């Protein structure tokens, strides 16, 4: 059986039919072609699937697609305005905060959620907020630096 | 994931009816951080999943001196941990919630789910045990209150019957209460407890100690509590209480730690907590 859901996806109202046994991550990737969010572990451990639901970062691999009904969802694809990148996307590039890039959409969405709640966190607060996102390439240093550059800009 | 029917009722009565209709093949979906993982790993094969987040009354959290703190079933761990009344009156509960998983997990997961899951290592279970919390439960026969001390029956087993739904957790208020939550895990963040403890001091003369991940259910260290009653927390007394706390623990060896390590950590965490509670 399929279930009707209506939700906001990257600022657009959408209507969709989906099976109950499909994760939100899978629906975004397969039905909407939004392949930014990735499946790393599929069990809430790695953060590669992080998206914003009602402004808060969550693991989309742990939500059922049907649970999106009535929610406001933002994926990495919804951050940029056409060719104009979001500030976190820019500082990730200028700081070289990515190598293979697999973890990057999740990293940026988690950081986005943090900065929405607190535009000027300390380095330690950033580290705690990012603890649910794993990266096998960078060693994290540049990721933290990229986020702190946005934090510094927010202070001015 | 195998196929299942998804229900999102807007009342407890309706939810309970579906749960009774499907019996043991139905599962309540709250934050889903335990349930969805278990379904994905084929540890569970439900016929029906009953999402209770459409029931408005389960989203409330409030505090008053007479009744204490009432945390609705669907309040997320992060909303609870940042709630003003929780931070002010029950910081020990907030501390235990803030170490569950990651920020992303805490935006989904709930304290009621953490306890209904009945894992011996549930981090938020230890402050609730130490503070004599109650679960407010919807039952087809009429609402009831279950003491947290009667709630955990075994690993992943609670005393809830088919069709019963936890509405909220209620923690009584205390005029003078200080508590310390501690957790030992393999890595600092996003890891399950190898051992977790909550030690509270009430009215400066009563010590309560709750231990997680050292028995089939979270437990209270009754021997140590009895010994501590009315005593000044001198160095000598603190050491003796911490040693006695180990006696109620019956841990096992597993991937997170050996039996011996767990027993040792009970003593260390309880001692450190008592040292903090002296001031
Ligand atoms: C990556 C990861 C890390 C984690 N780290 C920790 C950790 O550090 N510490 C820790 O303690 N836990 C941890 N967990 C476990 C989990 O996040 C918690 O147990 C969580 O609090 C469960 O709440 P939930 O709302 O998501 O429950 P759900 O998964 O929705 O439900 C859990 C169980 O409770 C039942 N249930 C839920 N609500 C009710 C109700 N109102 N009435 C009756 N039954 C109900 C469900 O049917 C299910 O059996 C982790 C999980 C993941 C995936
Ligand atoms: S894929 Fe969701 S947390 Fe790893
Ligand atoms: S850049 Fe490769 S996993 Fe982070």
């Amino acid at each position: 059986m399929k279930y009707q859901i209506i939700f906001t996806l990257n600022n657009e109202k959408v209507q969709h039919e989906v099976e109950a046994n499909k994760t939100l991550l899978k629906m975004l990737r397969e039905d909407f072609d939004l392949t930014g969010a990735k499946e790393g572990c599929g069990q809430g451990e790695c953060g590669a699937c992080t998206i914003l639901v009602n402004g808060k970062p969550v693991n989309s691999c742990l939500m059922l697609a049907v649970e999106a009904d009535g929610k406001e969802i933002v994926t990495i694809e919804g951050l940029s305005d056409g060719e104009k990148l979001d500030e976190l996307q820019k500082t990730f590039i200028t700081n070289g905060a990515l190598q293979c890039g697999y973890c990057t959409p999740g990293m940026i969405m988690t950081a986005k959620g943090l900065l929405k709640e607190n535009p000027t966190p300390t380095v330690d607060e950033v580290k705690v907020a990012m603890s649910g996102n794993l990266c096998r390439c960078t060693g994290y240093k540049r990721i933290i630096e990229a986020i702190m550059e946005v934090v510094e800009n927010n202070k001015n | 994931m195998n196929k299942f029917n998804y229900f999102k009722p807007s009342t407890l009565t309706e939810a309970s009816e579906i749960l009774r209709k499907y019996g043991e093949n139905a599962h309540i979906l709250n934050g889903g951080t335990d349930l969805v993982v278990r379904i994905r790993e084929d540890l569970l094969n439900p016929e029906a999943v009953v999402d209770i987040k459409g029931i408005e009354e389960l989203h409330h959290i409030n505090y008053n001196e007479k009744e204490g703190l009432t945390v609705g079933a669907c309040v997320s761990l992060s909303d609870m941990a940042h709630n003003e009344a929780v931070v002010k009156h029950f910081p020990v509960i907030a501390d235990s919630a803030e170490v569950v998983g990651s920020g992303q997990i805490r935006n989904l997961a709930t304290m009621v789910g953490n306890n209904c899951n009945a894992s011996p290592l549930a981090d938020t279970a230890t402050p609730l045990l130490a503070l004599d919390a109650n679960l407010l439960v919807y039952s087809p026969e009429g609402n009831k209150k279950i003491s947290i001390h009667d709630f955990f029956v075994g690993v992943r087993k609670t005393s809830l019957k088919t069709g019963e739904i936890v509405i909220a957790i209620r923690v009584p208020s205390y005029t003078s209460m200080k508590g310390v939550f501690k957790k030992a895990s393999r890595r600092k963040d996003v890891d399950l407890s190898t051992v977790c403890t909550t030690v509270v001091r009430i009215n400066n003369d009563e010590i309560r100690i709750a231990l997680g991940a050292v028995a089939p259910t979270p437990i209270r260290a009754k021997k140590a509590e009895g010994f501590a009653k009315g005593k000044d927390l001198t160095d000598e007394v603190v050491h003796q209480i911490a040693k006695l706390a180990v006696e109620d623990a019956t841990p096992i060896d597993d991937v997170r730690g050996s039996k011996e390590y767990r027993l040792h950590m009970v003593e260390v965490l309880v001692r450190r907590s008592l040292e903090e509670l002296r001031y």
Side-chain angles (χ1 to χ4, degrees):
Chain A
M1 181 177 157
K2 288 206 172 186
Y3 298 81
Q4 280 277 349
I5 55 173
I6 298 177
F7 61 105
T8 308
L9 180 55
N10 295 333
N11 285 322
E12 250 179 69
K13 257 230 145 55
V14 294
Q15 193 170 351
H16 193 59
E17 276 202 339
V18 70
E19 298 280 351
N21 62 339
K22 190 169 203 166
T23 64
L24 177 53
L25 175 63
K26 214 166 178 198
M27 175 181 81
L28 292 170
R29 292 178 55 86
E30 293 179 358
D31 303 355
F32 291 93
D33 233 357
L34 297 171
T35 53
K38 305 273 187 288
E39 180 150 309
C41 64
Q43 354 184 298
E45 305 267 357
C46 76
C49 63
T50 305
I51 59 168
L52 300 184
V53 174
N54 292 353
K56 293 187 175 158
V58 302
N59 308 103
S60 62
C61 69
L62 295 185
M63 277 180 76
L64 300 177
V66 280
E67 291 182 272
D69 189 38
K71 297 281 192 309
E72 205 170 289
I73 289 176
V74 180
T75 68
I76 187 78
E77 291 87 350
L79 280 198
S80 56
D81 178 8
E83 296 283 292
K84 202 170 153 274
L85 295 183
D86 179 84
E87 48 193 355
L88 277 166
Q89 291 175 313
K90 282 189 211 155
T91 61
F92 265 65
I93 295 169
T94 53
N95 284 273
L98 57 140
Q99 288 177 30
C100 79
Y102 197 87
C103 70
T104 314
M107 289 282 177
I108 291 181
M109 295 316 280
T110 304
K112 194 76 198 165
L114 169 68
L115 298 183
K116 262 174 184 272
E117 209 173 276
N118 176 7
T120 56
T122 62
V123 176
D124 285 339
E125 285 169 336
V126 169
K127 286 184 182 168
V128 170
M130 301 304 293
S131 63
N133 291 78
L134 302 182
C135 174
R136 304 312 306 263
C137 306
T138 65
Y140 303 101
K141 190 165 177 287
R142 293 186 173 195
I143 293 174
I144 304 296
E145 286 168 358
I147 299 167
M148 289 315 289
E149 190 180 327
V150 178
V151 171
E152 287 309 314
N153 294 339
N154 286 347
K155 286 182 183 164
N156 304 322
Chain B
M1 271 194 276
N2 288 327
K3 288 203 165 145
F4 53 80
N5 293 313
Y6 171 82
F7 299 92
K8 193 175 180 186
S10 55
T11 64
L12 286 161
T13 320
E14 223 183 312
S16 178
E17 273 167 18
I18 305 163
L19 289 168
R20 274 174 291 152
K21 183 175 158 212
Y22 286 89
E24 59 186 27
N25 296 319
H27 291 277
I28 292 176
L29 171 66
N30 199 343
T33 61
D34 280 313
L35 189 75
V36 174
V37 172
R38 290 173 66 75
I39 297 176
R40 289 198 63 169
E41 291 185 346
D42 283 337
L43 295 167
L44 289 176
N45 263 313
E47 261 177 60
V49 165
V50 184
D51 187 347
I52 55 171
K53 294 188 292 296
I55 305 169
E56 211 269 331
E57 63 184 286
L58 303 184
H59 292 267
H60 298 188
I61 175 165
N62 44 58
Y63 172 81
N64 60 62
E65 232 167 78
K66 193 166 149 275
E67 289 190 318
L69 174 72
T70 311
V71 183
C74 299
V75 176
S76 72
L77 287 173
S78 48
D79 282 348
M80 181 188 72
H82 297 141
N83 178 276
E84 218 175 297
V86 175
V87 172
K88 181 156 176 237
H89 301 286
F90 298 98
V92 66
I93 297 180
D95 290 347
S96 73
E98 295 258 53
V99 299
V100 173
S102 61
Q104 292 100 306
I105 295 283
R106 293 189 294 276
N107 282 335
L108 293 170
T110 64
M111 179 157 76
V112 167
N114 194 216
N115 286 278
C116 288
N117 192 50
S119 160
L121 56 74
D123 284 316
T124 65
T126 55
L128 297 176
L129 270 180
L131 295 169
D132 290 343
N134 287 294
L135 293 102
L136 310 185
V137 176
Y138 171 92
S139 165
E141 287 103 53
N143 290 4
K144 60 181 182 184
K145 205 158 92 174
I146 304 179
S147 159
I148 187 98
H149 303 298
D150 302 324
F151 188 68
F152 303 117
V153 181
V155 178
R156 294 196 177 278
K157 284 201 185 72
T158 69
S159 55
L160 290 176
K161 298 198 197 73
T162 307
E164 294 184 340
I165 302 164
V166 176
I167 301 169
I169 291 178
R170 180 166 291 166
V171 192
S173 56
Y174 293 90
T175 38
S176 161
M177 184 276 285
K178 253 180 90 178
V180 176
F181 171 83
K182 287 199 183 292
K183 168 170 178 170
S185 49
R186 292 161 300 176
R187 59 176 184 149
K188 194 168 138 281
D189 293 299
V190 201
D191 198 3
L192 302 172
S193 284
T194 307
V195 176
C196 57
T197 59
T198 293
V199 182
V200 300
R201 189 178 196 190
I202 289 165
N203 297 330
N204 281 328
D205 74 344
E206 185 184 355
I207 295 285
R208 296 184 190 165
I209 301 168
L211 312 174
V214 295
T217 68
I219 54 163
R220 284 271 289 268
K222 288 287 184 187
K223 266 191 204 142
E225 290 182 5
F227 172 80
K229 184 113 190 109
K231 289 204 173 62
D232 281 337
L233 294 180
T234 60
D235 283 349
E236 181 53 29
V237 170
V238 163
H239 277 271
Q240 276 176 311
I241 299 173
K243 273 210 154 51
L244 280 173
V246 175
E247 292 196 9
D248 280 300
T250 52
I252 53 165
D253 297 308
D254 69 10
V255 289
R256 281 181 285 280
S258 65
K259 178 173 176 247
E260 290 73 22
Y261 177 73
R262 286 193 157 96
L263 292 173
H264 178 66
M265 285 317 289
V266 167
E267 186 178 338
V268 171
L269 297 183
V270 170
R271 174 169 49 76
R272 288 182 188 159
S273 305
L274 289 166
E275 282 165 357
E276 286 176 36
L277 286 173
R278 275 208 281 228
Y279 307 105

